[in-house]
C-alpha cells in the first residue's frame, strides 16, 4: 500500500524570526542551531500550515516574486525535505 | 525620531533580564548597586511569566538572567521553566556562591542553558575574597563544580583590579590547568556602581593597565587563545594595537572608525531592570523606555524615540568633540561604550574617556610590543 505525503506542517517548537528586510531565520531552542531563510524560503515556511500543498506554495511564489524558475516546485520540495530532516517540519502522511 | 539607517532587527534577539535586585554579596566594585539599575522592588513572578509570553511572540531567542544575584530568587526554577515553555534559551550571570547541586540539576534538566558565567577573581581565597567577602572563593568554586557535574557550560569571568593584577599568571594556571576549564574571559573593574565609591582602591592605574595588557596578551598566546575579552585590558590591548598599526601603516580608516560606533547592542538587544522597567542596556538603566506589562516590547523596539536616538549614536562623528580634536587615532577609534561615557561624564553621546588611546599614552601607558 503506497503512502502519499500531501501536506507539511511547521514544528511549533521552532522559532521563526524575520530579521532584516524579508530574510529570516529558524531557531531551534533545544540545540541553539540557526537555519537561514531567504525571502522565498521565509514565504514557504509561513505557508507550511498543514493545509497548503507544495503546488500551492509554488503558485504563490510565482505571484509574489519575479523570475521564479520553472523548477521551483522541485526546489521547494528539496527545501522542505531538508527541513523535515532537521525536524523543523512534520509530514501529514495519508494512505489512499 | 526615525529608525537609523543601519540594520536594526525587527525584534530583539536577546534580552538581558535583571530578575532580582537582591544579592548575598556586596562586592567592592559591583556595577549594580549604587547605579540606576538598583531598583526599589523585584517584579513578582507572574509579571515575569507574562512577559516571557510576550518575548515568545517577539521571537526572542535568548535571555540572560542577571541581578543582583539570580540564585537569590527562590522561584528561579519557575522563572526558568517559563523561559523554556516560551521557546527560549538562557544564560545566567552569577557570583556562583549559591549554586547547589539541585540548582545545577534543574538547569541541566531544561536542556536550554547556554552557559552560567561565574566570577572568579583570584587563584586563592585571599585574592578572590579581597573584594568579594570571606568564604566566597570556596563557595564559587563549589558552585562551578556542581555546574560541571551536570555538564553545564561554565563561563568564568575574571574582573581585574588592583588586588589581583599581580596574580594573572596564577589565575590562568588555576582556571585552565588546575580546574581544567576550556577557557575564561576577563574584564576590569570599571567606573560603575559601587566601584565609583572605591576608585582608588579598586581601579587599575595606567601602570596597572600596561602590566595587565602585557601579561594577558602573553598568557593568551601561551594558552592558545583560551583567554578572551570584550572589555578591559586584553580587549583594549587588541583594539588599541589594531589602531596603532593602522596609524603606522597610514591607513585611511578602520571599519567603524571615526564615529561613535563602539556599541551595536541596540540593534539586537534590550534589557529589563528588576522592577520591570525596560531600558536599552542594564548599564544604561537611567534611560527608561517603558514598563513590562504596560508598554508592548515590540512598540518600544520599533518606535521609542530614545532608543532610536541611541541607535543613531553611531552616526555622530568624533570630529565634533573637542575631546577628540587633533587626535592621530580619530579615523580608527569608535568611541567605545556609551555606558562608560555616561558613568564618567553623564553623557552617553560622547566618546568614553576611559577608552581613549591618546589619553592612555599621554599618561605613560604602553601597548604590548608583541602585538604591535
Amino acid at each position: 500500500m503506497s503512502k502519499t505525503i500531501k501536506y507539511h506542517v511547521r514544528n511549533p517548537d521552532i522559532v521563526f524570526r524575520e530579521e532584516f528586510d524579508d530574510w529570516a531565520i529558524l531557531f531551534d531552542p533545544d540545540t541553539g542551531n540557526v537555519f537561514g531563510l531567504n525571502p522565498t524560503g521565509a514565504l514557504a515556511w509561513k505557508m507550511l500550515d498543514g493545509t497548503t500543498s507544495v503546488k500551492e506554495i509554488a503558485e504563490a511564489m510565482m505571484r509574489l516574486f519575479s523570475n521564479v524558475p520553472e523548477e521551483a516546485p522541485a526546489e521547494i520540495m528539496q527545501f522542505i525535505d531538508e527541513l523535515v530532516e532537521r525536524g523543523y517540519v512534520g509530514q501529514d502522511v495519508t494512505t489512499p | 525620531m526615525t529608525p537609523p539607517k543601519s540594520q536594526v532587527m525587527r525584534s530583539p534577539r536577546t534580552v538581558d533580564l535583571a530578575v532580582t535586585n537582591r544579592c548575598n554579596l556586596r562586592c567592592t566594585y559591583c556595577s549594580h548597586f549604587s547605579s540606576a539599575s538598583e531598583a526599589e522592588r523585584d517584579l513578582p513572578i507572574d509579571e515575569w511569566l507574562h512577559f516571557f509570553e510576550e518575548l515568545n511572540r517577539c521571537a526572542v531567542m535568548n535571555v540572560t538572567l542577571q541581578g543582583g544575584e539570580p540564585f537569590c530568587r527562590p522561584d528561579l526554577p519557575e522563572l526558568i521553566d517559563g523561559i523554556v515553555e516560551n521557546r527560549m534559551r538562557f544564560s545566567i550571570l552569577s557570583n556562583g556562591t549559591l549554586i547547589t547541586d539541585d540548582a545545577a540539576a534543574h538547569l541541566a534538566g531544561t536542556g536550554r542553558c547556554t552557559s552560567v558565567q561565574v566570577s572568579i577573581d583570584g587563584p586563592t581565597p585571599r585574592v578572590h575574597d579581597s573584594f568579594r567577602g570571606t568564604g566566597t572563593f570556596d563557595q564559587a568554586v563549589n558552585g562551578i563544580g556542581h555546574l560541571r557535574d551536570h555538564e553545564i557550560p561554565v563561563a568564568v569571568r575574571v574582573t581585574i583590579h588592583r588586588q589581583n593584577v599581580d596574580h594573572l599568571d596564577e589565575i590562568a594556571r588555576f582556571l585552565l590547568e588546575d580546574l581544567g576549564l576550556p577557557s575564561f574571559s576577563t574584564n576590569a573593574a570599571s567606573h560603575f556602581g559601587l566601584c565609583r565609591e572605591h576608585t582608588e582602591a579598586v581601579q587599575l592605574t595606567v601602570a596597572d593597565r600596561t602590566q595587565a595588557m602585557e601579561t594577558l596578551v602573553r598568557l593568551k598566546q601561551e594558552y592558545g587563545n583560551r583567554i578572551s575579552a570584550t572589555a578591559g585590558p586584553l580587549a583594549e590591548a587588541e583594539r588599541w594595537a589594531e589602531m596603532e598599526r593602522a596609524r603606522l601603516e597610514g591607513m585611511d580608516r578602520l571599519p567603524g572608525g571615526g564615529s561613535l560606533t563602539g556599541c551595536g547592542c541596540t540593534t539586537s538587544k534590550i534589557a529589563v531592570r528588576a522592577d520591570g522597567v525596560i531600558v536599552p542596556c542594564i548599564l544604561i538603566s537611567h534611560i527608561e523606555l517603558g514598563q513590562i506589562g504596560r508598554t508592548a516590547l515590540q512598540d518600544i523596539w520599533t518606535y521609542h524615540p530614545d532608543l532610536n536616538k541611541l541607535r543613531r549614536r553611531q552616526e555622530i562623528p568624533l570630529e565634533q568633540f573637542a575631546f577628540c580634536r587633533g587626535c592621530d587615532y580619530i579615523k580608527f577609534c569608535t568611541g567605545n561604550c556609551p555606558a562608560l561615557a555616561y558613568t564618567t561624564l553623564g553623557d552617553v553621546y560622547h566618546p568614553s574617556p576611559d577608552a581613549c588611546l591618546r589619553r592612555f599614552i599621554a599618561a605613560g601607558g604602553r601597548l604590548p610590543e608583541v602585538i604591535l
Side-chain angles (χ1 to χ4, degrees):
Chain A
M1 186 179 290
S2 67
K3 290 180 179 175
T4 307
I5 299 167
K6 284 186 71 175
Y7 300 112
H8 297 83
V9 63
R10 300 181 294 267
N11 178 345
D13 292 334
I14 300 299
V15 178
F16 172 72
R17 271 185 61 84
E18 292 176 293
E19 298 215 314
F20 304 116
D21 303 323
D22 292 323
W23 291 70
I25 59 170
L26 300 176
F27 171 61
D28 181 351
D30 285 330
T31 62
N33 291 338
V34 168
F35 184 75
L37 300 178
N38 62 20
T40 53
L43 175 68
W45 173 265
K46 288 180 188 172
M47 297 184 76
L48 294 173
D49 56 5
T51 63
T52 308
S53 68
V54 171
K55 182 167 174 284
E56 289 168 318
I57 294 172
E59 287 167 356
M61 276 184 194
M62 298 207 184
R63 279 197 310 276
L64 295 167
F65 296 97
S66 56
N67 302 321
V68 177
E70 281 183 19
E71 57 272 22
E75 288 181 4
I76 294 166
M77 202 57 242
Q78 195 179 346
F79 167 70
I80 293 171
D81 284 345
E82 186 171 357
L83 295 180
V84 170
E85 200 171 308
R86 288 172 179 267
Y88 295 179
V89 163
Q91 297 169 328
D92 177 3
V93 180
T94 57
T95 306
Chain B
M1 177 68 66
T2 55
K5 290 175 193 165
S6 65
Q7 289 196 313
V8 177
M9 292 186 176
R10 288 196 189 178
S11 63
R13 261 196 186 203
T14 299
V15 182
D16 291 343
L17 306 174
V19 290
T20 181
N21 193 50
R22 285 172 287 162
C23 186
N24 57 322
L25 307 182
R26 283 295 181 279
C27 303
T28 312
Y29 42 80
C30 175
S31 61
H32 174 71
F33 291 107
S34 273
S35 78
S37 66
E38 183 178 356
E40 290 183 1
R41 67 182 187 113
D42 278 4
L43 204 66
I45 187 165
D46 287 353
E47 293 186 51
W48 281 119
L49 294 178
H50 279 300
F51 185 60
F52 295 159
E53 293 170 9
E54 187 177 358
L55 297 183
N56 187 352
R57 291 193 295 276
C58 290
V60 169
M61 295 161 61
N62 306 292
V63 292
T64 301
L65 308 183
Q66 51 193 286
E69 168 54 47
F71 287 93
C72 276
R73 270 196 88 118
D75 55 8
L76 183 65
E78 289 83 1
L79 278 176
I80 288 170
D81 290 346
I83 290 164
V84 171
E85 284 165 17
N86 284 287
R87 306 190 304 173
M88 293 178 281
R89 294 182 69 80
F90 63 94
S91 303
I92 302 178
L93 310 186
S94 171
N95 61 41
T97 60
L98 301 176
I99 301 174
T100 61
D101 185 66
D102 283 349
H106 179 261
L107 299 181
T110 66
R112 298 280 185 86
C113 182
T114 300
S115 69
V116 178
Q117 178 182 294
V118 177
S119 299
I120 295 287
D121 294 348
T124 60
R126 188 179 63 78
V127 178
H128 176 90
D129 294 359
S130 60
F131 287 144
R132 292 189 176 271
T134 305
T136 56
F137 176 82
D138 290 337
Q139 291 167 353
V141 171
N142 280 343
I144 290 172
H146 293 314
L147 294 168
R148 297 178 81 196
D149 286 346
H150 291 278
E151 299 180 353
I152 295 168
V154 178
V156 162
R157 166 65 57 84
V158 178
T159 300
I160 302 171
H161 51 67
R162 293 248 182 112
Q163 296 299 317
N164 67 7
V165 68
D166 293 329
H167 299 275
L168 298 178
D169 282 272
E170 299 144 78
I171 291 172
R173 196 178 313 124
F174 172 68
L175 295 173
L176 300 178
E177 296 183 34
D178 298 350
L179 287 187
L181 294 171
S183 62
F184 71 91
S185 65
T186 65
N187 65 358
S190 298
H191 198 63
F192 294 110
L194 289 178
C195 189
R196 293 162 58 100
E197 299 165 23
H198 305 102
T199 299
E200 289 300 313
V202 173
Q203 282 198 266
L204 300 178
T205 63
V206 169
D208 291 334
R209 280 170 99 172
T210 300
Q211 175 189 330
M213 285 181 185
E214 286 174 359
T215 309
L216 290 169
V217 166
R218 172 177 54 75
L219 287 170
K220 182 173 177 175
Q221 290 178 345
E222 286 176 9
Y223 282 103
N225 293 323
R226 292 164 69 193
I227 304 172
S228 63
T230 55
L234 179 57
E236 286 164 348
E238 291 172 339
R239 176 66 189 169
W240 285 347
E242 190 183 10
M243 290 166 59
E244 179 65 357
R245 283 194 298 269
R247 186 186 70 84
L248 292 171
E249 291 167 14
M251 288 175 65
D252 182 47
R253 197 168 286 274
L254 281 177
S259 51
L260 289 178
T261 60
C263 173
C265 294
T266 50
T267 60
S268 63
K269 285 178 73 173
I270 200 163
V272 185
R273 288 190 331 215
D275 57 0
V277 172
I278 299 171
V279 294
C281 164
I282 288 296
L283 293 174
I284 311 180
S285 275
H286 66 287
I287 300 180
E288 300 183 352
L289 304 173
Q291 171 79 35
I292 72 173
R294 289 188 208 151
T295 325
L297 178 67
Q298 189 63 60
D299 288 345
I300 289 174
W301 182 258
T302 309
Y303 302 114
H304 201 289
D306 291 344
L307 187 56
N308 281 327
K309 183 180 177 189
L310 201 53
R311 288 168 177 152
R312 285 188 172 277
R313 182 179 184 270
Q314 60 189 279
E315 296 168 15
I316 301 173
L318 296 178
E319 288 164 353
Q320 80 172 51
F321 298 101
F323 181 81
C324 299
R325 274 185 209 130
C327 179
D328 290 342
Y329 300 103
I330 199 164
K331 295 181 295 182
F332 317 122
C333 181
T334 65
N336 209 268
C337 171
L340 260 177
Y342 177 76
T343 194
T344 311
L345 302 170
D347 183 5
V348 293
Y349 298 100
H350 192 283
S352 166
D354 191 57
C356 174
L357 174 55
R358 177 171 67 168
R359 195 165 175 250
F360 174 73
I361 291 172
R366 290 190 326 274
L367 296 178
E369 287 185 14
V370 66
I371 56 170
L372 281 177

